[in-house]
Amino acid sequence: MKLYALSVVRKDIKSKALVSAYDLQSFGYFQRSSVKEFMQFTGQILVERTRTNERASVKENEYICHVFVRSDSLGGVIISDNEYPQRVVFTLLNKVLEDFSQKISPSVWKTAEPNTIVWPECEKYLQDYQNPREADAMTKVQAELDETKIVLHNTIEAVLERGEKLDDLVEKSEGLTMQSKAFYKTAKKTNSCCSIQ
């Protein structure tokens, strides 16, 4: 999962990138300037063609260009690989545009020339979100839940591999009351009538 570019763009008849950050280390040294130029061009075209208050994702080979344009004509563009989660991309775009609009006044960005605004947070966002599991709380929680499921599954399998049966464990248990043991046996008998053998 990889983010290659993050740009804040002013939507207009000819959109202008206000500030951009790139991570082009995976490209050859002599390719980087061309790749950067093409990514910036693609982002600007997509912002021009995206309606306000609309989100769009456009796939091109192994890359996806994600765009969001707000009602104030401030747009955001992220170029990622196919594996990067779309929900995390649009969460990031919302954060970036909100943060940008709070720190840079509209009077500045509406009249600024392309790529003249200095806003170091753009680079920081691009780096912080390279690993979506670390950057996004929901993705992080989901990953932890997935790991927990695997651990629990492996633990149950390990118990069964040793030849232990749940029935034996219930019988031997001192932690269960007689009422709980009776409930377990009744539930097992009730469910066994419906099983297909």
Side-chain angles (χ1 to χ4, degrees), residues 126-142:
L126 184 67
Q127 294 309 313
D128 289 349
Y129 273 78
Q130 283 301 330
N131 183 350
R133 290 183 178 184
E134 292 300 317
D136 181 63
M138 284 184 66
T139 305
K140 189 174 183 178
V141 168
Q142 183 61 48

Side-chain angles (χ1 to χ4, degrees), residues 117-132:
I117 294 178
V118 177
W119 190 59
E121 287 90 338
C122 190
E123 185 72 40
K124 184 170 175 13
Y125 276 119
L126 184 67
Q127 294 309 313
D128 289 349
Y129 273 78
Q130 283 301 330
N131 183 350

Side-chain angles (χ1 to χ4, degrees), residues 1-162:
M1 289 182 268
K2 180 86 173 145
L3 294 179
Y4 297 103
L6 168 60
S7 299
V8 177
V9 181
R10 178 168 50 96
K11 180 179 170 66
D12 209 339
I13 295 167
K14 184 141 177 71
S15 294
K16 296 177 184 171
L18 302 172
V19 62
S20 300
Y22 299 91
D23 186 343
L24 305 176
Q25 295 173 8
S26 58
F27 297 95
Y29 180 77
F30 296 106
Q31 295 175 318
R32 291 178 188 168
S33 63
S34 297
V35 168
K36 179 178 176 180
E37 191 176 299
F38 184 74
M39 286 183 174
Q40 191 168 26
F41 172 77
T42 303
Q44 286 175 207
I45 293 294
L46 289 174
V47 168
E48 287 173 16
R49 306 268 158 77
T50 303
R51 289 179 276 189
T52 55
N53 291 322
E54 189 173 270
R55 301 174 197 284
S57 294
V58 179
K59 185 176 187 271
E60 180 61 35
N61 296 323
E62 66 268 16
Y63 307 105
I64 299 182
C65 189
H66 308 275
V67 181
F68 172 51
V69 179
R70 297 187 338 173
S71 59
D72 60 1
S73 297
L74 194 62
V77 178
I78 290 178
I79 298 177
S80 70
D81 62 10
N82 288 327
E83 297 174 2
Y84 202 93
Q86 192 173 33
R87 186 190 58 74
V88 178
V89 167
F90 286 112
T91 299
L92 173 57
L93 281 175
N94 282 337
K95 281 184 183 180
V96 166
L97 295 176
E98 188 63 34
D99 193 17
F100 182 85
S101 65
Q102 287 177 356
K103 294 184 178 158
I104 311 293
S105 75
S107 61
V108 171
W109 60 261
K110 285 183 178 179
T111 58
E113 290 299 312
N115 290 309
T116 55
I117 294 178
V118 177
W119 190 59
E121 287 90 338
C122 190
E123 185 72 40
K124 184 170 175 13
Y125 276 119
L126 184 67
Q127 294 309 313
D128 289 349
Y129 273 78
Q130 283 301 330
N131 183 350
R133 290 183 178 184
E134 292 300 317
D136 181 63
M138 284 184 66
T139 305
K140 189 174 183 178
V141 168
Q142 183 61 48
E144 289 171 1
L145 287 173
D146 290 344
E147 287 174 16
T148 304
K149 280 195 289 190
I150 291 167
V151 169
L152 289 174
H153 182 69
N154 289 340
T155 303
I156 291 168
E157 282 183 357
V159 169
L160 295 176
E161 284 173 12
R162 288 196 305 255

Side-chain angles (χ1 to χ4, degrees), residues 176-196:
L176 291 174
T177 63
M178 292 303 285
Q179 186 177 0
S180 295
K181 288 178 183 179
F183 173 78
Y184 172 77
K185 288 178 183 177
T186 306
K188 188 172 179 182
K189 284 180 186 174
T190 304
N191 289 335
S192 68
C193 74
C194 303
S195 65
I196 299 172

